Amino acid sequence: MNVNNHLHIKNGRLIDPANGIDAVTDLFIVDGKVASTGTAPAGFNAGNSIDATGLVVAPGLVDLSARLREPGYEYKATLKSEMQAAMQGGVTSLICPPDTDPVLDEPGLVEMLKYRAGKLQQAHVHPLGALTMGLKGKALTEMMELTEAGCIGFSQAEEVIEDTTVLLRALQYAKTFGFTVWVRPQDAHIGRGGIAHSGPLASRLGLAGVPVMSETIALHTVFELVRATGARVHLCRMSSAAGLELVKAAKKEGLPVTCDVAVHHVHMTDADIGFFDSNARVTPPFRSQRDRDAIRAALYDGTIDAICSDHTPVDDDEKLLPFGEASPGATGLELLLSLAIKWADDYAGMQHGAAGSSSPLSRAIAKITTDAARIAGLTVGQLAPGAAADVVVFDPAARWTVEASALASQGKHTPFLGYELAGQVKATIVGGRIAFQRQV
């Protein structure tokens, strides 16, 4: 028995929402798998240990949207830099959209991405395949071949399919083979060219607007197609109160739909654009306070299934420009945990008196672990015996300031620069191996 493959994480507060665990206990890992919690398995002899006294031990985070910028955009970020960012953020599994260059519409490209990511031995990378060739919304890709190459679903990223018949055919095909189609709900024409939420602020600043109806019209179309086909659809980056009401109704109807929200939309509003701060230029745009509050409530009541980082690194040349010319996007891998904790802290009072409710922190962790894994069809995000030992150990009380120099990601731009946040990752374990450990 090789004790070097034995890891003992002791005295931590183990939070495993998938299995209803929230208690101070030990975690024992053998040969890359969770062996047991509480009591050591027979013959266990720790080759390595982590003292997690005062810390939280949780499943490694599962991020539903992280752009790694390879292939094609290495000047914005590289696999090496973004994988390091994932480790510092406690993200052990991530889903990457297909809008690389070239687009992920060929099996060979998918296999190359997975091979290069695998060589780094850090986060597990699960690509989404392009729904149409070149993301041009015309011809469907070979979804079966892309799935065999490693794709877990299919997406148009930020490109809209203008011909609804193409989307119908895609959903029919996806239903036949049990694939999930990931859709960012936006109308092909309304709001095109817009860069801020349509409202008083955009008018005052002279910025072209993206109205909420761009999201709701698209949702109506998607739901009609889901009714017709029965295909499973995941709605990416919800942004509005009106859109969430439609999702809630669709779920009540029993349609096979799930949705997520970008973690920055949980906290920011269009007012955070301030005096044309290009760090607040994101897609979809930050909306009104009413929309932001609806997002927070929808996370609490389960209408929103998961939180993602929507990690989109952008270089200085494309970000340090006038608001309307700057590229949309923000770095998020290293902020996902802290901003989820911030939501939990803000909403701690809401769970008071709720029947059978878990702790706010456990709810937040569920949204970025087990709930996200379920959407992606992955078996990670939980710590039952036999599960892959992907683990994050973090201090929920440790405070850190978001500064460009503190970020491992090559993308240094986020609307949270200068913010002090709680929650700092102390160690990230991937497959039972300590892939990152913060130096004291």
Side-chain angles (χ1 to χ4, degrees):
M1 188 177 288
N2 186 358
V3 297
N4 291 327
N5 294 334
H6 291 200
L7 175 61
H8 180 196
I9 304 176
K10 53 190 177 184
N11 305 322
R13 177 185 172 188
L14 183 67
I15 299 181
D16 180 9
N19 296 293
I21 300 172
D22 186 347
V24 175
T25 188
D26 289 10
L27 181 68
F28 299 92
I29 294 169
V30 176
D31 295 333
K33 304 283 187 183
V34 174
S36 65
T37 58
T39 306
F44 183 86
N45 188 6
N48 206 346
S49 66
I50 295 175
D51 184 358
T53 302
L55 307 178
V56 170
V57 179
L61 309 192
V62 180
D63 190 351
L64 292 178
S65 182
R67 287 173 171 83
L68 305 177
R69 295 308 199 189
E70 283 196 37
Y73 298 105
E74 288 83 356
Y75 63 93
K76 295 182 181 182
T78 63
L79 272 176
K80 186 175 181 181
S81 66
E82 304 321 289
M83 286 296 202
Q84 186 58 39
M87 292 299 93
Q88 288 194 188
V91 178
T92 56
S93 295
L94 49 85
I95 288 82
C96 55
D99 52 352
T100 49
D101 183 18
V103 166
L104 296 180
D105 59 5
E106 298 272 354
L109 295 169
V110 174
E111 290 165 353
M112 178 58 73
L113 175 60
K114 286 187 68 70
Y115 172 76
R116 293 190 63 188
K119 281 187 69 176
L120 294 173
Q121 293 188 308
Q122 294 179 313
H124 308 291
V125 172
H126 302 280
L128 293 175
L131 192 61
T132 61
M133 295 302 295
L135 298 176
K136 292 177 180 176
K138 305 293 184 186
L140 299 185
T141 54
E142 295 288 349
M143 294 189 216
M144 183 61 77
E145 291 183 7
L146 288 169
T147 300
E148 291 169 354
C151 290
I152 61 154
F154 298 91
S155 163
Q156 279 292 104
E158 294 299 322
E159 302 301 321
V160 183
I161 293 179
E162 294 193 35
D163 186 343
T164 311
T165 304
V166 175
L167 184 55
L168 172 62
R169 298 285 177 260
L171 292 179
Q172 288 172 330
Y173 189 90
K175 169 62 178 175
T176 300
F177 295 99
F179 302 146
T180 301
V181 175
W182 298 47
V183 177
R184 226 275 280 157
Q186 55 179 331
D187 186 78
H189 304 287
I190 293 175
R192 178 185 281 177
I195 54 177
H197 168 62
S198 286
L201 186 96
S203 298
R204 208 161 51 241
L205 296 178
L207 299 174
V210 182
V212 165
M213 76 173 83
S214 174
E215 182 167 284
T216 55
I217 288 172
L219 287 170
H220 279 293
T221 300
V222 168
F223 294 150
E224 281 297 319
L225 296 177
V226 170
R227 289 184 188 102
T229 62
R232 189 167 63 244
V233 168
H234 176 65
L235 301 162
C236 309
R237 263 66 78 213
M238 295 297 300
S239 71
S240 69
L244 289 168
E245 283 301 315
L246 294 176
V247 172
K248 186 180 292 186
K251 287 187 167 189
K252 192 173 182 181
E253 184 185 331
L255 297 183
V257 297
T258 51
C259 72
D260 67 46
V261 65
V263 73
H264 36 259
H265 279 80
V266 178
H267 302 288
M268 294 278 179
T269 71
D270 57 349
D272 290 296
I273 291 173
F275 295 107
F276 304 98
D277 179 7
S278 61
N279 283 326
R281 172 88 199 277
V282 295
T283 303
F286 293 134
R287 298 205 180 274
S288 69
Q289 183 172 331
R290 175 178 172 273
D291 293 309
R292 192 274 312 274
D293 292 348
I295 286 170
R296 290 180 160 200
L299 275 170
Y300 187 80
D301 69 22
T303 300
I304 296 176
D305 299 275
I307 303 172
C308 70
S309 73
D310 196 23
H311 178 72
T312 308
V314 180
D315 68 332
D316 287 352
D317 289 347
E318 294 186 10
K319 203 64 168 173
L320 301 179
L321 293 169
F323 190 88
E325 298 172 26
S327 292
T331 189
L333 279 169
E334 294 158 89
L335 303 177
L336 179 58
L337 177 63
S338 291
L339 292 175
I341 290 172
K342 180 172 170 56
W343 171 77
D345 290 344
D346 291 347
Y347 260 63
M350 277 195 66
Q351 70 97 35
H352 181 68
S357 60
S358 52
S359 72
L361 182 57
S362 180
R363 276 174 174 252
I365 289 173
K367 296 290 184 187
I368 52 178
T369 57
T370 182
D371 293 345
R374 185 178 63 252
I375 289 167
L378 303 174
T379 57
V380 296
Q382 49 98 16
L383 297 175
D390 295 342
V391 186
V392 60
V393 180
F394 67 91
D395 185 343
R399 305 192 72 83
W400 64 287
T401 301
V402 183
E403 298 172 324
S405 60
L407 301 174
S409 170
Q410 202 168 308
K412 306 296 184 183
H413 298 281
T414 164
F416 294 95
L417 284 175
Y419 277 61
E420 186 181 73
L421 299 174
Q424 188 174 57
V425 173
K426 297 300 182 182
T428 302
I429 293 100
V430 180
R433 182 179 60 84
I434 301 174
F436 168 76
Q437 194 159 19
R438 191 173 298 279
Q439 302 303 312
V440 178

